Amino acid sequence: MTSPESLPDATDCQRVGPLERGLAVLRVLCAPDADRLRHSDLVRATGLARSTVDRVVATLERLDLVRVDGREVSIAPRLMEVSGAYLRACGIPAALGPLTERLADELDESVSVAVPDGEDGVRFVLQTRRRRTMAVSFRIGDLLPAGRCAPGALFAAPWSEEQWAGDDQLIEPGLIAVALPVRGRAGRTVCAVSVVSHTSRHTLQSLKEAVLPRLREVRTELEAALAAPRTEAAPAAAVDLTLAVKREVGPGFLQSLARGLAVLVALGGDRGEGMTLSGLAEATGLARATVRRSLLTLEQLGQVACEGRQFRLAPRVLELGCARLSELTLPEIAGPHLTALVGRVHESASLVVLDGTDIRYVARVPTVRIMSVSITVGTRFPAYATSMGRVLLAGLAPGERPELPDVLPALTRHTVTSPQELDSIVDRVAADGFALVDEELEEGLRSLAVPVRDARGRVVAALNVAQHAGRGTAEEARNALLPALREAAELIEADLRALRSY
Ligand code: PHB
């Protein structure tokens, strides 16, 4: 008899079709060479009916997991909540990240951690790049054939103290690596740590001599970190799939796809012991029968492994976008939100970063040109005379503000030229959370800016909307533009949090 906590054998009627089809669409969208695909490409690649693809895409779009731009579909940063659930559950990046960072600094070589995926695959779960080792660098979530990288050999053999593996250009000319197995709490090899170098600096033999003794010492620390009790609370999911599931949803929304993904994301809350059906029902607010059918489907697809009554995520979950999303840049993340903001306020919007005492444009969506100079990505302006610069200066700790000259050059007759006055303006910007600058950089130009914070709360960029100063009073501009500007910044921040959600 089947215990109520474990799964019966899957039959077609017990599996969740929409979840299977949803994951099939996601896998195609996440393939290494896919970027933007049309619905017809998805139909061809999945073999599903056009109407099915349409409903899957509409559901994934409602969940903020994909973006639809005209006729093209692409994955959205919040998909990392799904894909990164494995990284959260396995706990390897959180436990080993600081130690591998230190080792990479000390050796001045790249260090990575990989886990086995099936019989003949290896997936990277941590990458700490220190030197340009290779033309193609493997990303978190990338799958390598076990026979063509150092970690592969380690997973095939039982654990032993002396065991190590070398990669002498197996995967790429010039690329060499030395790897050691690392044991988890139960004493079995759970991952492998590699030091990766290049034949321009080492032979495999000299790399081994240079790093193996130290790598063995560090392994003791890595194993202790993996064995330490997991006290960290599961980070709150930026995408609340269960909320989306419970909300009134229109026709065409595939509830069971959303529910299945909610189960997958909830498994990211596993602190190393696996999760039970009851635990998952509680975490998702879904009925046990619904959770069971989702688990059955996920297990069939190799996304979930089941041992007795415990369910845990499998490394294959990483194929749902992790590698592609882990290399998104800030301009790529912000781009769609800038476009949407410009569509809303009908003024130009830009994203800048601080570069010394200048701001540097990293993304821009113009409407009509109101500046005498044309601004492109890469354009720089002095931070002191711009709203975005003041927002970025306000984001620094007081001691970190860059040295400014005794008198700031006046760029117009309105420019604040006293560093003391600028200091108190920047303090006020820090308190208000926005900056408005009227005609200090250029006559006739007004700009309103807000900060954009990363997952750790640090100000990493400033977002602005610029308009003609003749449009109305500064007060009117603030009232009309600030809410939309803040909402756009919050959406960028939510994406940044989702991308760091493990
Ligand atoms: C890597 O981290 O990129 C890596 C590690 C081990 C290998 C090859 C590449 O054998």
Side-chain angles (χ1 to χ4, degrees):
M1 218 181 84
T2 321
S3 113
E5 285 285 315
S6 58
L7 296 179
D9 285 341
T11 61
D12 281 349
C13 62
Q14 284 164 326
R15 294 218 302 262
V16 184
L19 177 57
E20 264 178 286
R21 297 191 271 276
L23 291 175
V25 167
L26 277 176
R27 268 200 306 275
V28 172
L29 282 168
C30 295
D33 50 350
D35 183 13
R36 291 157 169 274
L37 297 178
R38 290 161 170 248
H39 289 70
S40 53
D41 299 325
L42 292 170
V43 167
R44 207 170 316 114
T46 57
L48 297 170
R50 172 67 197 230
S51 58
T52 307
V53 166
D54 288 351
R55 290 178 72 188
V56 165
V57 168
T59 303
L60 294 173
E61 190 188 13
R62 286 287 298 275
L63 296 173
D64 267 343
L65 301 177
V66 304
R67 287 211 176 96
V68 181
D69 185 6
R71 288 157 66 184
E72 291 177 330
V73 189
S74 56
I75 56 176
R78 294 199 191 177
L79 183 59
M80 192 63 120
E81 286 284 328
V82 177
S83 181
Y86 171 77
L87 299 173
R88 256 196 327 275
C90 81
I92 293 174
L96 307 190
L99 294 167
T100 55
E101 280 285 338
R102 238 180 45 210
L103 182 65
D105 275 345
E106 184 190 318
L107 302 175
D108 194 21
E109 299 285 4
S110 300
V111 174
S112 65
V113 177
V115 296
D117 183 354
E119 288 292 292
D120 42 28
V122 163
R123 266 187 214 272
F124 291 100
V125 292
L126 197 55
Q127 282 288 4
T128 311
R129 293 268 162 241
R130 276 302 170 275
R131 282 178 184 258
R132 286 246 146 260
T133 26
M134 55 202 122
V136 217
S137 91
F138 300 106
R139 304 162 299 182
I140 296 173
D142 271 335
L143 181 70
L144 248 62
R148 299 190 61 192
C149 61
L154 301 173
F155 299 137
W159 192 88
S160 88
E161 185 77 40
E162 288 71 39
Q163 198 189 15
W164 70 281
D167 167 356
D168 198 354
Q169 310 180 68
L170 288 172
I171 196 91
E172 195 180 291
L175 175 68
I176 54 174
V178 165
L180 281 187
V182 180
R183 284 170 301 174
R185 260 188 272 185
R188 276 178 294 168
T189 301
V190 290
C191 60
V193 57
S194 307
V195 175
V196 190
S197 188
H198 193 267
T199 45
S200 58
R201 289 189 300 285
H202 277 294
T203 61
L204 181 59
Q205 182 62 24
S206 75
L207 180 66
K208 179 193 159 198
E209 282 160 15
V211 306
L212 201 55
R214 183 70 188 121
L215 196 51
R216 288 212 160 102
E217 285 169 9
V218 171
R219 173 175 55 191
T220 311
E221 292 176 56
L222 298 176
E223 291 183 342
L226 284 178
R230 304 253 316 255
T231 48
E232 89 274 24
V239 192
D240 190 344
L241 289 162
T242 48
L243 237 191
V245 171
K246 285 182 208 139
R247 252 195 330 246
E248 249 337 284
V249 279
F253 184 84
L254 299 170
Q255 285 271 16
S256 49
L257 168 55
R259 289 174 173 162
L261 292 172
V263 170
L264 199 162
V265 170
L267 274 162
D270 172 10
R271 301 294 84 182
E273 274 84 43
M275 288 179 80
T276 61
L277 202 119
S278 319
L280 285 163
E282 195 178 322
T284 55
L286 296 170
R288 285 165 57 99
T290 307
V291 175
R292 172 187 267 130
R293 278 198 306 276
S294 297
L295 286 169
L296 201 74
T297 310
L298 292 167
E299 196 192 9
Q300 286 283 307
L301 297 172
Q303 309 280 350
V304 162
C306 162
E307 241 173 78
R309 294 168 168 220
Q310 303 300 122
F311 297 91
R312 60 182 85 231
L313 292 175
R316 188 153 306 168
V317 170
L318 294 170
E319 77 185 359
L320 302 174
C322 186
R324 292 260 311 281
L325 294 170
S326 66
E327 57 178 11
L328 279 183
T329 61
L330 184 59
E332 286 168 332
I333 296 160
H337 301 298
L338 250 64
T339 306
L341 174 63
V342 170
R344 226 175 125 181
V345 300
H346 309 291
E347 306 280 8
S348 306
S350 305
L351 189 80
V352 307
V353 295
L354 195 60
D355 192 347
T357 54
D358 285 344
I359 57 166
R360 182 163 45 81
Y361 283 73
V362 294
R364 178 168 165 79
V365 177
T367 51
V368 285
R369 225 179 94 182
I370 47 174
M371 289 282 289
S372 56
V373 286
S374 73
I375 302 173
T376 53
V377 166
T379 298
R380 303 162 74 101
F381 290 123
Y384 70 88
T386 63
S387 64
M388 295 188 280
R390 290 178 187 174
V391 156
L392 291 169
L393 294 173
L396 299 172
E400 287 177 350
R401 288 188 193 166
E403 280 287 325
L404 293 172
D406 288 345
V407 178
L408 304 165
L411 306 175
T412 72
R413 63 208 155 87
H414 304 284
T415 313
V416 169
T417 54
S418 142
Q420 291 73 33
E421 192 184 342
L422 182 74
D423 251 346
S424 60
I425 291 174
V426 169
D427 289 343
R428 203 169 61 238
V429 168
D432 292 346
F434 73 92
L436 192 143
V437 168
D438 236 349
E439 307 191 75
E440 293 191 46
L441 178 69
E442 180 169 326
E443 300 280 351
L445 181 74
R446 171 182 294 146
S447 161
L448 181 67
V450 295
V452 175
R453 295 175 189 277
D454 69 5
R456 289 200 262 167
R458 294 172 311 192
V459 175
V460 287
L463 178 68
N464 95 325
V465 169
Q467 67 169 196
H468 236 289
R471 279 284 170 88
T473 65
E475 174 83 14
E476 283 163 358
R478 196 189 72 191
N479 292 339
L481 300 174
L482 192 55
L485 193 57
R486 283 202 160 130
E487 274 170 41
E490 277 161 21
L491 290 172
I492 298 171
E493 289 173 350
D495 282 354
L496 291 174
R497 276 198 304 279
L499 291 169
R500 279 272 148 264
S501 62
Y502 55 85

